Structures are given as C-alpha cells and as structure tokens.
Amino acid sequence: MAAYGKTDTMIVHTADPLNAETSRAALAEHDLTPADRFYVRNHGSVPDTDPAAWTLRIDGLVEQPLTLSLDDLRGLQRREVAATLQCAGNRRSGLLEVRDIPGEEPWGPGATGTATWGGVALADVLALARPTGTATHVGLVGADVSEEAEPPQEFGGSIRLEKALRDEVLLAYEMNGELLPPVHGAPVRVVVPGYIGARSVKWLHHVEVRDRPWEGFFQDVVYRLLQPEQEPGPGVGTPLGEVALNAEILVPDHDARVTAGPVAVRGYAFAGGERHVARVDVSADGGKTWVEADLDEDLGRWAWRLWSTEMHLDRGDHEIVVRAWDSAAASQPEHPGPLWNPKGYVNNAWGRVTLHVA
Ligand code: MTE
C-alpha cells in the first residue's frame, strides 16, 4: 500500500502535496472506482481534522448564520449520488502538442474517477441559513493552506447559488458506502456533479453566501480558460465550471504490444453539466471509419459511461482514437484547441493510444 491507503498501481506525480492518478488499466476495471485507487489532487498538505471537533460555519448573505457539527449534518436527510469527479488538468499531457505549462504535472487520463457519494444536500443546509435576496454565489472553503497560491491561502472556490440549490450538490461524508477517507476531504467535502473537480472542495469548514464569485487564487487566477496570448492574473479569462465532453481509451494501454486479430478496447466517456453521453465511436484508421462502442450500465446523469468494443487489427502500428457524442449531439474536436488553463487545460480532444500489433 502506498500513502493514504492507495494501491501501489497509482501513478504518483508528487508525494507532498500528494498528486496521483489512476493507471488506465485500474480505471477500466470498475464502473465505480474503489477509493484505494481513486485519483488525488491536492494543492497543500492534508490537514488534520478531528471529526469530533469539526464544525462548519455558514455565513455571509444569510438571514441566519450557523455553525453545524458533524452530528448536526448527520441529522439532516441523507442523500446519495453517483458522480464522476474529473480534474480540469485531466489529460493535460495531450496539451503538450499545443503548449507546455512549466511547473505543472503532465497528468494522463487518470485524473478522474466515479464514486457514490453520501451526505446531505448543500441546499438543505442553505435552507436553514436562508440566503438573502441579493445572494448569487456560494463560496466553499477548505482547511488546507496552499503555498502554491499567491499569497498562500486556504483552498476555496464558489458556485452559483442556482447550482448550489440543486439536489445533486452534496456535502459528502461517505464515499462508496464507507466513511470519506482523509485524503479525499474527511470529515466533509463538497461534491459538485458535472463541474470541474476544483469546485468539489475537500476538508470543508466554511460556506460563505455572496453576491459575487470567489476572489481567491483557485477561482480568480487559475482554473480559468485563457486565450493563447493571455497570462494568468486576477480576473483574466473565464472561470471554468462544467466539464467539457471527453473520452479516453484505457485498455489496451498506450504503446501496448498486442496480437493481430480481435482486440478488446475499453475506456470512458464523460459529459459534464446537464448533458449525458449518447454514443461513443472508436476508429482504427485515424477517424476515416468508426465503429460504435457498447456502453456499460448507466449509473445516472452525473456519472461517466465506461464503454467497450472489439476491433480487428492487422500487423503494424495503429493509432486507435475515440470520440463521444453528448445528448445535444455535440462531439469532440480532433485536436486540442488554442485555449489554455494555467492549472489544468481542458483537453476535450479525441482520446488516442498507439498500439503495436504483431
Ligand atoms: N479541496 C481542497 N481543500 N484542496 C485541494 O487541493 N483540490 C481540488 C478539489 N478539492 C482540492 C480540493 C481539485 S483541483 C480536484 S480535481 C479535486 O479536489 C480532487 O478530488 P480528490 O483528490 O478527492 O480526487
């Protein structure tokens, strides 16, 4: 076992703060990703949080500021949602085709995973605090201090009030039916289904209802979409929110050697926001011809679809590519576009692996 109970099949980018992704093969094995192989994206060290002493402060533009204990939260209606978390930096290595981001890790396709999250609706907590008429955004603050931020600060971000009031946005204390592990934000984290992972704030201790977006580093400077000529700075570019439609090949691995004949191909597809994956196509000739893949069980509107198909491959090197279609008939671009994100980059281009067939 590696640190924090993770399997040693994790691909560790940095040990402290821990940043580790799931290998393609491990990700392909389960529709619901076990906690011991779920990716970790941290901007600071995992804070010590004693569940018995933990409190959540809800204040700002509310009629009734509140401080809740874990028992108070557990006293509210328990809800569960199957949701995919995906880092905005997932598949960043594909961006190297377009632009390098010095100092940022070359994440492959494993900065994503799907779990069932159990907890209470943020909406139920907000209902107790009663946002005022001028409230438009909900700030979410974690207990970890990030030295990467300028200036160093607690990790935080915000979502619009209308999203915060939806049933699917949870303050989660369980992951896959077990207590939320420390490295994933125990005792309580936010889960914002359909949005980039950065909004799912871990080690939550403060909810601030506001009339404007969060002004901290992780929303105002990074996790934003920039034009090629723009440099990151406060308010520059557009904040990222909903995850862009994307798909990736998990099996066989990139650069794998396989035997000529039928080859089983498997991967994931994920549509952020309100959309769902309608169809997945795979091609062995660079996109000239496509076969439609079979989709695994539908885990609900907030979860990815794993998919699989069989391709007949002759000897030689082949580039296998995948593209998904969403419920609005949108698909993915063949190559990454010119927009970038200082912390992540949304690589929504076709997924690709090269296979050596002998
Ligand atoms: N919350 C806190 N407090 N600190 C963090 O560094 N990282 C965010 C988000 N929430 C982060 C955080 C990012 S960028 C992602 S992608 C997800 O947590 C990753 O969640 P996981 O580590 O549980 O997979």
Side-chain angles (χ1 to χ4, degrees):
M1 283 271 182
Y4 297 107
K6 294 287 166 184
T7 62
D8 45 22
T9 59
M10 300 292 291
I11 301 162
V12 178
H13 293 295
T14 60
D16 190 17
L18 180 62
N19 283 294
E21 69 178 286
T22 317
S23 69
R24 290 184 198 246
L27 213 49
E29 280 171 24
H30 306 272
D31 289 285
L32 288 173
T33 318
D36 68 359
R37 65 203 59 186
F38 203 97
Y39 83 99
V40 176
R41 176 71 174 111
N42 287 342
H43 297 78
S45 300
V46 174
D48 274 330
T49 37
D50 171 8
W54 178 87
T55 57
L56 176 64
R57 177 85 188 147
I58 301 109
D59 59 15
L61 299 175
V62 294
E63 286 170 19
Q64 179 60 67
L66 295 172
T67 301
L68 301 179
S69 69
L70 197 51
D71 282 346
D72 293 333
L73 272 199
R74 286 178 175 279
L76 300 174
Q77 185 190 342
R78 181 184 173 281
R79 310 204 189 218
E80 192 171 277
V81 66
T84 298
L85 283 192
Q86 189 168 101
C87 187
N90 190 42
R91 308 174 71 224
R92 181 188 297 148
S93 53
L95 173 68
L96 299 179
E97 210 182 295
V98 183
R99 175 180 189 136
D100 190 13
I101 306 181
E104 291 297 332
E105 300 302 323
W107 292 88
T112 187
T114 301
T116 56
W117 306 95
V120 302
L122 173 57
D124 290 345
V125 170
L126 291 173
L128 297 176
R130 302 196 302 278
T132 64
T134 52
T136 51
H137 292 76
V138 177
L140 307 160
V141 194
D144 52 328
V145 176
S146 173
E147 302 291 330
E148 288 170 24
E150 294 162 20
Q153 59 196 256
E154 290 175 325
F155 187 92
S158 64
I159 55 174
R160 298 186 70 88
L161 180 64
E162 65 207 32
K163 177 70 176 175
L165 291 178
R166 295 186 47 137
D167 287 354
E168 72 269 11
V169 179
L170 295 192
L171 305 187
Y173 45 74
E174 291 167 6
M175 177 179 187
N176 290 337
E178 307 279 338
L179 275 184
L180 186 67
V183 76
H184 290 294
V188 175
R189 77 172 302 162
V190 188
V191 174
V192 186
Y195 278 43
I196 60 163
R199 304 297 173 243
S200 289
V201 173
K202 302 191 275 190
W203 310 295
L204 183 73
H205 75 100
H206 184 195
V207 171
E208 187 189 296
V209 181
R210 305 164 54 84
D211 61 3
R212 67 198 71 175
W214 191 246
E215 277 126 356
F217 182 79
F218 294 101
Q219 177 137 348
D220 205 34
V221 179
V222 295
Y223 293 113
R224 298 178 77 88
L225 208 50
L226 303 182
Q227 297 290 327
E229 68 284 0
Q230 286 180 315
E231 287 301 323
V236 179
T238 315
L240 291 168
E242 297 179 353
V243 175
L245 176 69
N246 65 90
E248 192 53 89
I249 296 159
L250 300 174
V251 175
D253 205 342
H254 177 59
D255 249 353
R257 292 182 182 283
V258 298
T259 309
V263 175
V265 183
R266 185 161 168 76
Y268 65 71
F270 181 52
E274 296 290 312
R275 296 178 182 181
H276 62 260
V277 172
R279 178 189 164 108
V280 172
D281 297 331
V282 188
S283 170
D285 57 13
K288 287 198 213 60
T289 59
W290 299 88
V291 292
E292 185 177 356
D294 298 322
L295 302 180
D296 278 20
E297 183 196 348
D298 187 353
L299 299 171
R301 65 189 303 191
W302 306 112
W304 66 11
R305 288 303 280 276
L306 293 189
W307 54 264
S308 51
T309 192
E310 194 173 79
M311 311 206 76
H312 287 263
L313 300 180
D314 299 330
R315 286 180 184 198
D317 286 355
H318 294 265
E319 191 180 44
I320 312 293
V321 296
V322 61
R323 67 172 186 207
W325 296 84
D326 72 18
S327 42
S331 192
Q332 303 173 237
E334 184 172 351
H335 297 289
L339 298 186
W340 70 294
N341 151 21
K343 269 288 167 209
Y345 176 71
V346 181
N347 185 359
N348 65 333
W350 295 354
R352 294 169 190 276
V353 295
T354 300
L355 300 184
H356 310 288
V357 185

